[in-house]
mmCIF file of all heavy atoms in Angstrom:
data_model
loop_
_atom_site.group_PDB
_atom_site.id
_atom_site.type_symbol
_atom_site.label_atom_id
_atom_site.label_comp_id
_atom_site.label_asym_id
_atom_site.label_seq_id
_atom_site.Cartn_x
_atom_site.Cartn_y
_atom_site.Cartn_z
ATOM 1 N N ILE M 27 7.405 -2.735 -10.355
ATOM 2 C CA ILE M 27 7.349 -2.000 -11.635
ATOM 3 C C ILE M 27 8.359 -2.600 -12.544
ATOM 4 O O ILE M 27 9.567 -2.532 -12.354
ATOM 5 C CB ILE M 27 7.606 -0.471 -11.449
ATOM 6 C CG1 ILE M 27 6.551 0.102 -10.510
ATOM 7 C CG2 ILE M 27 7.576 0.263 -12.798
ATOM 8 C CD1 ILE M 27 6.977 0.137 -9.084
ATOM 9 N N ALA M 28 7.897 -3.220 -13.654
ATOM 10 C CA ALA M 28 8.787 -3.915 -14.582
ATOM 11 C C ALA M 28 8.913 -3.022 -15.819
ATOM 12 O O ALA M 28 7.911 -2.513 -16.390
ATOM 13 C CB ALA M 28 8.226 -5.249 -14.978
ATOM 14 N N PHE M 29 10.167 -2.797 -16.222
ATOM 15 C CA PHE M 29 10.465 -1.939 -17.395
ATOM 16 C C PHE M 29 10.831 -2.856 -18.576
ATOM 17 O O PHE M 29 11.205 -3.983 -18.417
ATOM 18 C CB PHE M 29 11.592 -0.999 -17.110
ATOM 19 C CG PHE M 29 11.257 0.072 -16.133
ATOM 20 C CD1 PHE M 29 11.318 -0.142 -14.744
ATOM 21 C CD2 PHE M 29 10.768 1.290 -16.562
ATOM 22 C CE1 PHE M 29 10.988 0.838 -13.844
ATOM 23 C CE2 PHE M 29 10.461 2.319 -15.649
ATOM 24 C CZ PHE M 29 10.557 2.073 -14.290
ATOM 25 N N GLY M 30 10.686 -2.286 -19.736
ATOM 26 C CA GLY M 30 11.035 -3.079 -20.978
ATOM 27 C C GLY M 30 12.540 -3.298 -21.034
ATOM 28 O O GLY M 30 13.003 -4.242 -21.723
ATOM 29 N N SER M 31 13.349 -2.438 -20.411
ATOM 30 C CA SER M 31 14.758 -2.547 -20.373
ATOM 31 C C SER M 31 15.251 -1.999 -19.030
ATOM 32 O O SER M 31 14.468 -1.334 -18.346
ATOM 33 C CB SER M 31 15.404 -1.828 -21.591
ATOM 34 O OG SER M 31 15.065 -0.478 -21.553
ATOM 35 N N PRO M 32 16.462 -2.181 -18.669
ATOM 36 C CA PRO M 32 16.961 -1.654 -17.337
ATOM 37 C C PRO M 32 16.732 -0.184 -17.207
ATOM 38 O O PRO M 32 16.943 0.613 -18.166
ATOM 39 C CB PRO M 32 18.443 -1.989 -17.416
ATOM 40 C CG PRO M 32 18.543 -3.236 -18.255
ATOM 41 C CD PRO M 32 17.541 -3.006 -19.340
ATOM 42 N N TYR M 33 16.277 0.255 -16.012
ATOM 43 C CA TYR M 33 15.990 1.637 -15.798
ATOM 44 C C TYR M 33 16.596 2.042 -14.457
ATOM 45 O O TYR M 33 15.882 2.189 -13.405
ATOM 46 C CB TYR M 33 14.475 1.880 -15.788
ATOM 47 C CG TYR M 33 14.004 3.239 -16.207
ATOM 48 C CD1 TYR M 33 13.636 3.495 -17.491
ATOM 49 C CD2 TYR M 33 14.075 4.325 -15.326
ATOM 50 C CE1 TYR M 33 13.281 4.787 -17.934
ATOM 51 C CE2 TYR M 33 13.689 5.606 -15.730
ATOM 52 C CZ TYR M 33 13.273 5.799 -17.055
ATOM 53 O OH TYR M 33 12.918 7.042 -17.451
ATOM 54 N N PRO M 34 17.880 2.282 -14.430
ATOM 55 C CA PRO M 34 18.585 2.498 -13.144
ATOM 56 C C PRO M 34 18.199 3.780 -12.399
ATOM 57 O O PRO M 34 18.413 3.892 -11.200
ATOM 58 C CB PRO M 34 20.060 2.530 -13.569
ATOM 59 C CG PRO M 34 20.065 2.913 -15.001
ATOM 60 C CD PRO M 34 18.845 2.308 -15.567
ATOM 61 N N SER M 35 17.656 4.771 -13.107
ATOM 62 C CA SER M 35 17.403 6.043 -12.454
ATOM 63 C C SER M 35 16.006 6.117 -11.817
ATOM 64 O O SER M 35 15.592 7.165 -11.275
ATOM 65 C CB SER M 35 17.457 7.199 -13.477
ATOM 66 O OG SER M 35 16.489 7.062 -14.464
ATOM 67 N N PHE M 36 15.282 5.014 -11.815
ATOM 68 C CA PHE M 36 13.905 4.945 -11.322
ATOM 69 C C PHE M 36 13.780 5.577 -9.875
ATOM 70 O O PHE M 36 12.920 6.420 -9.648
ATOM 71 C CB PHE M 36 13.301 3.566 -11.371
ATOM 72 C CG PHE M 36 11.908 3.468 -10.856
ATOM 73 C CD1 PHE M 36 10.852 4.167 -11.468
ATOM 74 C CD2 PHE M 36 11.622 2.716 -9.715
ATOM 75 C CE1 PHE M 36 9.568 4.074 -10.996
ATOM 76 C CE2 PHE M 36 10.334 2.616 -9.282
ATOM 77 C CZ PHE M 36 9.331 3.310 -9.863
ATOM 78 N N PRO M 37 14.573 5.138 -8.877
ATOM 79 C CA PRO M 37 14.418 5.715 -7.531
ATOM 80 C C PRO M 37 14.567 7.187 -7.451
ATOM 81 O O PRO M 37 13.861 7.870 -6.710
ATOM 82 C CB PRO M 37 15.501 4.984 -6.745
ATOM 83 C CG PRO M 37 15.765 3.705 -7.500
ATOM 84 C CD PRO M 37 15.609 4.088 -8.913
ATOM 85 N N SER M 38 15.465 7.795 -8.224
ATOM 86 C CA SER M 38 15.642 9.238 -8.238
ATOM 87 C C SER M 38 14.540 9.913 -9.072
ATOM 88 O O SER M 38 14.142 11.027 -8.742
ATOM 89 C CB SER M 38 17.007 9.654 -8.795
ATOM 90 O OG SER M 38 17.230 9.182 -10.096
ATOM 91 N N ASP M 39 14.065 9.251 -10.132
ATOM 92 C CA ASP M 39 13.007 9.836 -10.959
ATOM 93 C C ASP M 39 11.740 10.041 -10.137
ATOM 94 O O ASP M 39 10.985 11.024 -10.346
ATOM 95 C CB ASP M 39 12.743 9.000 -12.160
ATOM 96 C CG ASP M 39 13.786 9.130 -13.247
ATOM 97 O OD1 ASP M 39 14.733 9.898 -13.067
ATOM 98 O OD2 ASP M 39 13.742 8.403 -14.223
ATOM 99 N N ILE M 40 11.423 9.123 -9.243
ATOM 100 C CA ILE M 40 10.143 9.244 -8.485
ATOM 101 C C ILE M 40 10.314 10.064 -7.173
ATOM 102 O O ILE M 40 9.397 10.107 -6.370
ATOM 103 C CB ILE M 40 9.613 7.829 -8.135
ATOM 104 C CG1 ILE M 40 10.635 7.035 -7.324
ATOM 105 C CG2 ILE M 40 9.174 7.107 -9.373
ATOM 106 C CD1 ILE M 40 10.112 5.656 -6.842
ATOM 107 N N ALA M 41 11.440 10.801 -7.107
ATOM 108 C CA ALA M 41 11.612 11.706 -5.993
ATOM 109 C C ALA M 41 11.039 13.094 -6.291
ATOM 110 O O ALA M 41 11.043 13.991 -5.424
ATOM 111 C CB ALA M 41 13.123 11.843 -5.637
ATOM 112 N N SER M 42 10.510 13.293 -7.498
ATOM 113 C CA SER M 42 9.839 14.532 -7.863
ATOM 114 C C SER M 42 8.470 14.236 -8.472
ATOM 115 O O SER M 42 7.930 13.201 -8.213
ATOM 116 C CB SER M 42 10.751 15.331 -8.818
ATOM 117 O OG SER M 42 11.132 14.543 -9.908
ATOM 118 N N MET M 43 7.984 15.159 -9.234
ATOM 119 C CA MET M 43 6.599 15.052 -9.740
ATOM 120 C C MET M 43 6.201 13.697 -10.352
ATOM 121 O O MET M 43 5.095 13.223 -10.141
ATOM 122 C CB MET M 43 6.285 16.190 -10.727
ATOM 123 C CG MET M 43 5.840 17.482 -10.145
ATOM 124 S SD MET M 43 4.217 17.459 -9.299
ATOM 125 C CE MET M 43 4.704 17.420 -7.560
ATOM 126 N N PRO M 44 7.081 13.038 -11.079
ATOM 127 C CA PRO M 44 6.677 11.722 -11.621
ATOM 128 C C PRO M 44 6.327 10.703 -10.587
ATOM 129 O O PRO M 44 5.638 9.725 -10.867
ATOM 130 C CB PRO M 44 7.942 11.277 -12.430
ATOM 131 C CG PRO M 44 8.706 12.527 -12.670
ATOM 132 C CD PRO M 44 8.423 13.434 -11.505
ATOM 133 N N GLY M 45 6.823 10.935 -9.322
ATOM 134 C CA GLY M 45 6.465 9.957 -8.251
ATOM 135 C C GLY M 45 5.415 10.476 -7.307
ATOM 136 O O GLY M 45 5.198 9.883 -6.234
ATOM 137 N N ALA M 46 4.694 11.543 -7.654
ATOM 138 C CA ALA M 46 3.626 12.053 -6.830
ATOM 139 C C ALA M 46 2.451 11.087 -6.933
ATOM 140 O O ALA M 46 2.089 10.550 -7.997
ATOM 141 C CB ALA M 46 3.206 13.440 -7.272
ATOM 142 N N MET M 47 1.802 10.858 -5.809
ATOM 143 C CA MET M 47 0.681 9.952 -5.773
ATOM 144 C C MET M 47 -0.689 10.658 -5.566
ATOM 145 O O MET M 47 -0.803 11.496 -4.621
ATOM 146 C CB MET M 47 0.832 8.931 -4.622
ATOM 147 C CG MET M 47 1.965 7.900 -4.940
ATOM 148 S SD MET M 47 1.563 6.792 -6.292
ATOM 149 C CE MET M 47 2.640 7.378 -7.598
ATOM 150 N N VAL M 48 -1.664 10.380 -6.421
ATOM 151 C CA VAL M 48 -2.980 10.875 -6.327
ATOM 152 C C VAL M 48 -3.882 9.829 -5.675
ATOM 153 O O VAL M 48 -3.667 8.612 -5.893
ATOM 154 C CB VAL M 48 -3.567 11.235 -7.720
ATOM 155 C CG1 VAL M 48 -4.963 11.814 -7.609
ATOM 156 C CG2 VAL M 48 -2.640 12.241 -8.387
ATOM 157 N N SER M 49 -4.848 10.242 -4.908
ATOM 158 C CA SER M 49 -5.777 9.294 -4.324
ATOM 159 C C SER M 49 -6.416 8.361 -5.317
ATOM 160 O O SER M 49 -6.901 8.841 -6.408
ATOM 161 C CB SER M 49 -6.926 10.097 -3.603
ATOM 162 O OG SER M 49 -8.074 9.346 -3.476
ATOM 163 N N GLY M 50 -6.375 7.092 -5.041
ATOM 164 C CA GLY M 50 -7.043 6.096 -5.955
ATOM 165 C C GLY M 50 -8.522 6.339 -6.008
ATOM 166 O O GLY M 50 -9.148 6.161 -7.050
ATOM 167 N N LYS M 51 -9.122 6.782 -4.876
ATOM 168 C CA LYS M 51 -10.544 7.043 -4.823
ATOM 169 C C LYS M 51 -10.917 8.209 -5.785
ATOM 170 O O LYS M 51 -11.872 8.166 -6.508
ATOM 171 C CB LYS M 51 -10.970 7.394 -3.448
ATOM 172 C CG LYS M 51 -12.417 7.706 -3.236
ATOM 173 C CD LYS M 51 -12.742 8.042 -1.745
ATOM 174 C CE LYS M 51 -14.157 8.419 -1.542
ATOM 175 N NZ LYS M 51 -14.430 8.778 -0.095
#
């Protein structure tokens, strides 16, 4: 995942709803 600028909080951000995964199907 490439960001337009540094995004240091990404690992913690995807520990809640923003990081939930829905079936690709």
Side-chain angles (χ1 to χ4, degrees):
I27 299 92
F29 291 86
S31 58
Y33 209 97
S35 65
F36 179 64
S38 60
D39 285 356
I40 57 174
S42 54
M43 274 293 103
M47 289 292 107
V48 180
S49 155
K51 181 179 177 181

